[in-house]
Amino acid sequence: MAERIATHYPKLSAALRQFADFVLAEPLQLARMSIHEAVETVGVSVATANRFATTIGFAGYADFRNELIRGFEKLFAPVEKLKQKLAEGASPQDVMIASLREDIANIEATIAKLTPDKTERAVEMIVKAKRIFIVGFENAASLANILAVGIELTGGNARTVENGGGTVGAARQLFKFGPDDLVIAIAFSLYMRDTVVVTRHAKRHGIPVLTITDHLNSPLAAVGDLSLFVEAYHEYNPPSDTAILALIEALVAAVASRLPNAVDVAERFAAFSYPWMMSTDPDWSPLKG
């Protein structure tokens, strides 16, 4: 919807822009309003609201509002399903088992989507890259960090968005990158706008892009030189971080298998980090040996 509006925005009249600005600023609030409530809130006429809808490509205001509502269905679906389960009297164990089985099914579906060509190309992109920047925000930021640590432990050079850095922090790193480097972007429905914006910007500047996402219609799929797809549906809290993490760990394992010095790097890290480790052995001490 935002992209539709952006396409037509320069040609909109002042009144249509006023309505467009409200749509962009408060889409959820507008989706819950009737046309009469909407025009009263925005301060325009019913004719203006209808003209806005047809100008951006809808048959009328009702068609426009229905599309706006559909955009929020995924956001509220987990809440509605949880209400349904609670209404049915499902026990905590029932809910936990259902969640675990969903994750198992997601991983199996993800395995089915992998092909030898895709996995080979993804590993090659990582192995050949001089530097790797992994883009992910919100939950994906934690997944990006796990992927970065895994790549580092194979001997690669991987970084993520700095804490508090946001898109500017990403830009501070990426302006130094080029065609010999790599951006790995992680985003799932609902897609974080910052992830898409940063990834598109990197692509425009000639940096190769590998994406980890869910569907061909993901905005990241259109940007990436290669996309790895994860089945990540989750009834209560989509997306399933478990399935995404499983793919990330599998990808790191595949990269390590391709690098002859990966074991040596891991051993040197273990030896160096030994003083910070703990053991359940009461006689163990990091100072020994």
Side-chain angles (χ1 to χ4, degrees):
M1 186 69 73
E3 289 178 358
R4 274 199 196 216
I5 294 172
T7 300
H8 295 277
Y9 195 86
K11 299 178 182 178
L12 297 181
S13 66
L16 293 180
R17 284 193 181 190
Q18 184 177 340
F19 196 84
D21 290 341
F22 186 76
V23 176
L24 293 171
E26 300 292 346
L28 179 55
Q29 182 180 346
L30 186 68
R32 292 173 169 175
M33 292 178 171
S34 69
I35 186 171
H36 298 288
E37 292 170 327
V39 298
E40 183 179 348
T41 300
V42 180
V44 297
S45 67
V46 171
T48 297
N50 276 309
R51 191 161 61 251
F52 168 80
T54 56
T55 299
I56 65 171
F58 293 97
Y61 190 84
D63 190 28
F64 154 74
R65 183 168 178 258
N66 287 337
E67 182 63 23
L68 196 61
I69 291 170
R70 277 195 292 273
F72 291 104
E73 284 178 348
K74 288 184 179 180
L75 181 64
F76 292 106
V79 178
E80 295 304 318
K81 287 180 179 178
L82 180 57
K83 286 180 182 177
Q84 182 181 346
K85 283 289 185 183
L86 294 176
E88 293 170 355
S91 70
Q93 183 173 356
D94 290 337
V95 174
M96 287 181 68
I97 291 172
S99 176
L100 289 168
R101 284 178 174 160
E102 257 190 327
D103 286 329
I104 293 169
N106 280 331
I107 293 170
E108 290 289 350
T110 300
I111 292 171
K113 292 180 181 181
L114 290 174
T115 65
D117 176 60
K118 274 196 171 185
T119 52
E120 184 73 25
R121 287 175 60 200
V123 169
E124 282 298 308
M125 291 175 78
I126 294 172
V127 169
K128 290 181 177 179
K130 289 183 179 179
R131 294 171 297 183
I132 298 170
F133 190 79
I134 305 170
V135 183
F137 295 94
E138 290 294 324
N139 274 21
S142 299
L143 296 165
N145 187 60
I146 292 171
L147 178 55
V149 169
I151 291 173
E152 287 273 317
L153 289 178
T154 67
N157 180 1
R159 294 289 182 273
T160 60
V161 179
E162 298 170 356
N163 287 343
T167 53
V168 175
R172 197 160 47 239
Q173 297 293 323
L174 285 174
F175 87 94
K176 298 174 284 188
F177 276 44
D180 293 331
D181 302 307
L182 176 66
V183 164
I184 302 176
I186 304 172
F188 288 76
S189 181
L190 302 161
Y191 310 97
M192 291 297 296
R193 182 181 298 275
D194 284 352
T195 305
V196 178
V197 170
V198 169
T199 306
R200 285 175 176 168
H201 197 63
K203 180 69 173 179
R204 283 196 296 269
H205 283 75
I207 305 169
V209 172
L210 169 64
T211 70
I212 299 175
T213 189
D214 46 4
H215 300 295
L216 278 170
N217 61 358
S218 160
L220 284 186
V223 183
D225 296 288
L226 176 69
S227 294
L228 296 177
F229 296 111
V230 179
E231 187 69 34
Y233 177 79
H234 199 280
E235 185 173 0
Y236 300 113
N237 188 31
S240 167
D241 290 336
T242 303
I244 305 166
L245 178 57
L247 179 79
I248 284 171
E249 291 183 334
L251 183 59
V252 170
V255 170
S257 72
R258 181 56 58 86
L259 296 171
N261 64 332
V263 174
D264 179 58
V265 171
E267 287 179 347
R268 285 190 287 114
F269 170 74
F272 184 84
S273 60
Y274 180 73
W276 290 275
M277 303 298 176
M278 295 184 67
S279 171
T280 55
D281 183 352
D283 296 324
W284 182 88
S285 168
L287 301 178
K288 291 181 179 179

